[in-house]
């Protein structure tokens, strides 16, 4: 590879002297280009291409699924299809296409969005991942129901998760796919402080749901490990990099954490950031605990439905959670009031 790059650099230098030549190098970052190709009059222009959105990912996947007849509803929702498949590599997508072709042939009907989600949830392998006890299945259902319910209630009903499942997979026992609108909003960089808090609350909601339903001494010891890691990373980023407050009750709160960490942090900065992040997590855990206790009947109803059906789509979740009590207080409203007063 090194000799090829050196030869290419020499050819580029000689060719450019005689006639115009266009050489395109596709990389994720300009730092990935070999130094010998960055000499004068070689690669002179950098063109940054935008990230593919969900709708494009969906249309590409539909095109990859040759000979698969899709439902009219699915063809009209490329963004929702893209949100499901974009996390998967090309090999997985081709496996999805093969599974969908087999399903269409066996059942004699068009493939729907639910079928694509089933591929995402359960995979396409016929390998037996092992039986799960009823007790464990109930724990997972309670955990995932907590994520889904708080995702809806803590967003003031704006965001209903795309789907929720307790299908066993190698890396997780369940999954909640956030609302497509929320994913797209985040990708466009439109997150507010309220959105960050909402994400944090959803991360903590699985552990909180187990706390409420199973009891504090019966929470799964390792089941929420990845949730706690994600919540810790987000809390540290909010406190150390973004200069956001632990809470937004008044002007003093808003002005209390404006110094962010720049470069490599020193020990006292790490300790200070950790203390603030720990306070933020504690504050939000108690908030979610109160929210789930106020809606315990919905939490149990959602968990029971999950044990029966394994996968609940957005319409199912909206039907079940429609009567929930919203989160007490809206962080966004508090911030808007402070800005208006200023």
């Amino acid at each position: 590879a090194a000799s090829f790059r050196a030869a290419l650099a020499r050819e580029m230098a000689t060719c450019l002297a005689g006639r115009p030549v266009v050489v395109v190098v596709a990389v994720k970052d300009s730092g990935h280009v070999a130094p010998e190709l960055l000499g004068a009059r070689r690669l002179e222009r950098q063109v940054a291409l935008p990230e593919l959105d969900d709708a494009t990912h969906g249309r590409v996947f539909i095109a990859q699924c040759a000979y698969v007849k899709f439902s009219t509803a699915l063809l009209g929702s490329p963004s929702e299809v893209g949100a499901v498949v974009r996390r998967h590599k090309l090999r997985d997508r081709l496996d999805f296409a093969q599974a969908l072709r087999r399903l269409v042939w066996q059942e004699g009907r068009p493939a729907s969005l639910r079928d694509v989600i089933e591929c995402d949830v359960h995979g396409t392998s016929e390998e037996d991942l092992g039986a799960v006890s009823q007790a464990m299945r109930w724990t997972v259902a309670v955990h995932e129901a907590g994520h889904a319910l708080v995702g809806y209630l803590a967003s003031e009903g704006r965001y209903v998760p795309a789907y929720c499942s307790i299908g066993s997979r190698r890396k997780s026992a369940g999954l909640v796919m956030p609302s497509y609108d929320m994913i797209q909003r985040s990708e466009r960089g439109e997150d507010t402080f309220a959105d960050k808090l909402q994400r944090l609350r959803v991360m903590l909601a699985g552990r909180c749901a187990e706390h409420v339903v199973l009891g504090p001494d019966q929470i799964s010891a390792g089941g929420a490990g990845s949730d706690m890691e994600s919540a810790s990373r987000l809390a540290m980023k909010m406190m150390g990099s973004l200069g956001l407050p632990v809470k937004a009750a008044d002007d003093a709160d808003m002005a209390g954490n404006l110094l962010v960490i720049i470069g490599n942090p020193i020990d006292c900065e790490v300790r200070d950031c950790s203390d603030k992040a720990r306070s933020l997590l504690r504050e939000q855990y108690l908030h979610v605990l109160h929210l789930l206790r106020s809606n315990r009947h919905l939490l149990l109803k959602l968990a029971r439905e999950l044990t029966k059906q394994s996968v609940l789509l957005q319409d199912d979740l909206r039907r079940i959670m429609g009567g929930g009590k919203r989160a007490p207080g809206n962080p966004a409203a508090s911030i808007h009031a402070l800005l208006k007063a200023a």
Side-chain angles (χ1 to χ4, degrees), residues 60-70 94 97-98 100-101:
V60 169
F61 175 72
I62 291 171
Q64 289 172 335
C65 295
Y67 307 113
V68 176
K69 183 178 181 181
F70 289 110
L94 295 177
Q98 182 64 30
L100 292 171
R101 276 195 291 270

Side-chain angles (χ1 to χ4, degrees), residues 310-326:
S310 294
V311 178
L312 296 175
L313 300 186
Q314 195 170 59
D315 288 342
D316 302 321
L317 295 171
R318 187 179 288 110
R319 171 179 51 81
I320 295 170
M321 301 188 301
K325 299 176 183 177
R326 305 292 190 265

Side-chain angles (χ1 to χ4, degrees), residues 287-305:
H287 180 98
V288 174
L289 209 57
H290 174 74
L291 186 59
L292 288 177
R293 280 174 174 156
S294 300
N295 292 274
R296 193 174 189 274
H297 64 294
L298 283 181
L299 178 62
L300 292 173
K301 183 177 180 181
L302 190 53
R304 292 188 187 106
E305 286 294 321

Side-chain angles (χ1 to χ4, degrees), residues 260-299:
V260 300
I261 297 175
I262 302 173
N264 295 324
I266 58 178
D267 289 345
C268 64
E269 289 178 321
V270 174
R271 285 195 298 271
D272 180 63
C273 183
S274 298
D275 289 343
K276 291 175 180 175
R278 188 171 288 108
S279 296
L280 175 64
L281 290 170
R282 180 180 184 277
E283 183 102 3
Q284 296 311 311
Y285 187 90
L286 294 174
H287 180 98
V288 174
L289 209 57
H290 174 74
L291 186 59
L292 288 177
R293 280 174 174 156
S294 300
N295 292 274
R296 193 174 189 274
H297 64 294
L298 283 181
L299 178 62

Side-chain angles (χ1 to χ4, degrees), residues 201-262:
R201 290 166 182 168
V202 172
M203 292 172 184
L204 298 171
R207 168 70 64 84
C208 283
E210 294 183 33
H211 183 161
V212 169
V213 176
L214 307 178
D217 61 339
Q218 294 299 315
I219 61 172
S220 54
S226 61
D227 293 335
M228 296 301 102
E229 290 178 9
S230 298
S232 298
R233 280 194 293 267
L234 178 57
M236 290 290 285
K237 181 178 180 180
M238 291 171 67
M239 297 296 99
S241 302
L242 302 179
L244 295 173
V246 173
K247 55 184 177 180
D250 53 33
D251 290 348
D253 289 334
M254 291 299 295
N257 187 43
L258 300 179
L259 182 64
V260 300
I261 297 175
I262 302 173

Side-chain angles (χ1 to χ4, degrees), residues 19 32 59 66 179 188 196-197 199 201 342:
R19 63 185 185 277
H32 297 166
R59 285 191 289 268
S179 160
R188 291 193 299 265
K196 295 292 186 187
L197 288 180
R199 287 178 56 198
R201 290 166 182 168

Side-chain angles (χ1 to χ4, degrees), residues 13-319:
T14 56
C15 290
L16 288 173
R19 63 185 185 277
V21 175
V22 177
V23 178
V24 179
V25 178
V27 291
K28 288 187 175 181
D29 185 88
S30 59
H32 297 166
V33 180
E36 56 265 34
L37 299 181
L38 294 175
R41 300 188 65 198
R42 288 175 185 164
L43 296 179
E44 297 179 338
R45 180 177 298 177
Q46 297 180 13
V47 179
L49 299 178
E51 291 286 337
L52 297 181
D53 59 15
D54 288 341
T56 302
H57 277 285
R59 285 191 289 268
V60 169
F61 175 72
I62 291 171
Q64 289 172 335
C65 295
Y67 307 113
V68 176
K69 183 178 181 181
F70 289 110
S71 68
T72 303
L74 181 145
L75 293 174
S77 308
S79 295
E80 297 184 8
V81 176
V84 175
V85 303
R86 69 178 303 169
R87 300 178 297 110
H88 297 279
K89 297 179 180 179
L90 176 60
R91 180 176 178 179
D92 292 333
R93 297 188 190 191
L94 295 177
D95 287 341
F96 284 9
Q98 182 64 30
L100 292 171
R101 276 195 291 270
R102 187 165 56 246
L103 180 143
V104 169
W105 176 74
Q106 290 176 340
E107 300 191 9
R109 62 171 177 83
S112 65
L113 180 61
R114 176 182 280 275
D115 297 321
V116 178
I117 290 174
E118 290 280 356
C119 288
D120 178 51
V121 171
H122 300 295
T124 58
S125 172
E126 296 182 4
E127 177 184 356
D128 184 4
L129 297 180
V132 177
S133 69
Q134 288 299 314
M136 185 61 192
R137 185 175 174 83
W138 175 243
T139 298
V140 174
V142 168
H143 184 101
E144 301 303 333
H147 285 307
L149 185 57
V150 170
Y152 173 72
L153 297 176
S155 69
E156 297 291 307
R158 290 176 299 162
Y159 301 127
V160 179
Y163 66 87
C164 178
S165 82
I166 57 170
S168 297
R169 307 184 70 176
R170 287 186 177 84
K171 294 183 179 180
S172 64
L175 175 70
V176 175
M177 171 68 78
S179 160
Y180 303 122
D181 292 338
M182 184 177 181
I183 294 173
Q184 292 169 3
R185 179 184 175 87
S186 178
E187 290 177 347
R188 291 193 299 265
E190 298 174 359
D191 279 355
T192 63
F193 177 42
D195 292 324
K196 295 292 186 187
L197 288 180
Q198 195 256 355
R199 287 178 56 198
L200 196 60
R201 290 166 182 168
V202 172
M203 292 172 184
L204 298 171
R207 168 70 64 84
C208 283
E210 294 183 33
H211 183 161
V212 169
V213 176
L214 307 178
D217 61 339
Q218 294 299 315
I219 61 172
S220 54
S226 61
D227 293 335
M228 296 301 102
E229 290 178 9
S230 298
S232 298
R233 280 194 293 267
L234 178 57
M236 290 290 285
K237 181 178 180 180
M238 291 171 67
M239 297 296 99
S241 302
L242 302 179
L244 295 173
V246 173
K247 55 184 177 180
D250 53 33
D251 290 348
D253 289 334
M254 291 299 295
N257 187 43
L258 300 179
L259 182 64
V260 300
I261 297 175
I262 302 173
N264 295 324
I266 58 178
D267 289 345
C268 64
E269 289 178 321
V270 174
R271 285 195 298 271
D272 180 63
C273 183
S274 298
D275 289 343
K276 291 175 180 175
R278 188 171 288 108
S279 296
L280 175 64
L281 290 170
R282 180 180 184 277
E283 183 102 3
Q284 296 311 311
Y285 187 90
L286 294 174
H287 180 98
V288 174
L289 209 57
H290 174 74
L291 186 59
L292 288 177
R293 280 174 174 156
S294 300
N295 292 274
R296 193 174 189 274
H297 64 294
L298 283 181
L299 178 62
L300 292 173
K301 183 177 180 181
L302 190 53
R304 292 188 187 106
E305 286 294 321
L306 275 172
T307 58
K308 295 176 183 176
Q309 301 188 44
S310 294
V311 178
L312 296 175
L313 300 186
Q314 195 170 59
D315 288 342
D316 302 321
L317 295 171
R318 187 179 288 110
R319 171 179 51 81

